[in-house]
Amino acid sequence: MAKSGEPLTRQRVLEAALRLLDQEGLEGFSMRRLGALLGVEAMSLYNHVESKQALFDGVIELLIIQAPLPLRPHATPREELWAFAHAFRDVLRAHPRVLPLVATSPLRTSASLVLLDHLLETLHQAQITGVQSIYALQCLVGFIVGHTLLGTGTQAVAGLEPGPNGPTVWQHFPADHYPRLHMLLPEIAQWNANQEFDFGLEALFQGLFG
């Protein structure tokens, strides 16, 4: 409930919406429940956000500004984007139930667009210009979001129970039908999500920066 005398602001509404999404996911979210969380009627929320879509845009903004592009005067574009990729991934991993929203919504707030413009400028400094810079940024963000969703997918939907992992299931299938897969099962046991992320990011950057 809202504290007595504490004014409702856009920032408070967005922060509460993020908490509710973290707890319930998109399928459990409603403006009525958000109002109850803040101790106000749902209609009062529209004094601070124009619509439910604008609210979701603001929630994405909260996540985006938590992973700003580092302002390091002597860093290369590659170093800047590498740092951003890891910072953004850390933010997304902390909010797995918001991932479907991030994956399907374009950036539509001023604060979000400031970072978008900065990322595009960083690519231009690496001589990746014009529509190629859009492609590059889409590939980078798609990789970050997609890899994070693969790693936290069972948490992205409220109430979805994770089943057994791949190797646990695969080892029961006949080895003579899937020889390469069975040969790699001991290697798969050494799989590390952070190393896989860096491997994929390095492959992407090799294509971008050579």
Side-chain angles (χ1 to χ4, degrees):
M1 300 294 286
K3 297 179 181 177
S4 177
E6 186 176 356
L8 201 61
T9 63
R10 178 178 182 271
Q11 184 70 17
R12 287 193 62 230
V13 170
L14 296 182
E15 290 173 352
L18 179 57
R19 291 198 303 273
L20 184 57
L21 286 166
D22 283 340
Q23 295 166 8
E24 304 295 340
L26 283 167
E27 63 277 16
F29 182 91
S30 71
M31 298 299 275
R32 180 184 58 80
R33 296 187 71 177
L34 178 58
L37 182 62
L38 288 163
V40 300
E41 294 295 328
M43 290 303 297
S44 299
L45 302 174
Y46 295 105
N47 293 323
H48 306 280
V49 291
E50 295 178 0
S51 63
K52 188 175 181 180
Q53 183 60 66
L55 175 76
F56 287 161
D57 289 345
V59 168
I60 294 173
E61 173 190 297
L62 285 184
L63 300 185
I64 289 290
I65 63 178
Q66 289 181 45
L69 191 64
L71 299 176
R72 298 162 54 199
H74 302 297
T76 66
R78 188 186 191 283
E79 290 169 340
E80 294 279 7
L81 292 172
W82 184 275
F84 168 77
H86 284 83
F88 191 36
R89 176 180 179 240
D90 288 344
V91 171
L92 295 179
R93 291 175 79 183
H95 303 280
R97 288 184 177 167
V98 190
L99 266 170
L101 188 61
V102 176
T104 56
S105 302
L107 301 182
R108 286 183 285 230
T109 69
S110 296
S112 300
L113 292 179
V114 167
L115 181 61
L116 175 61
D117 189 73
H118 198 152
L119 290 167
L120 289 171
E121 174 60 27
T122 302
L123 287 164
H124 275 235
Q125 291 173 9
Q127 307 305 312
I128 303 171
T129 60
V131 72
Q132 299 295 324
S133 65
I134 300 292
Y135 295 161
L137 187 55
Q138 287 282 69
C139 287
L140 175 60
V141 173
F143 172 71
I144 298 167
V145 173
H147 188 275
T148 308
L149 185 59
L150 284 174
T152 61
T154 55
Q155 302 174 52
V157 180
L160 179 63
E161 294 296 326
N165 63 24
T168 301
V169 174
W170 299 336
Q171 64 185 345
H172 296 296
F173 284 80
D176 57 336
H177 287 187
Y178 312 98
R180 180 60 62 184
L181 180 60
H182 273 262
M183 186 181 301
L184 287 173
L185 283 177
E187 302 295 330
I188 293 173
Q190 301 175 37
W191 172 84
N192 179 281
N194 294 328
Q195 292 178 7
E196 181 183 79
F197 183 76
D198 284 355
F199 178 90
L201 197 59
E202 184 66 48
L204 177 60
F205 278 23
Q206 184 64 31
L208 291 176
F209 304 111

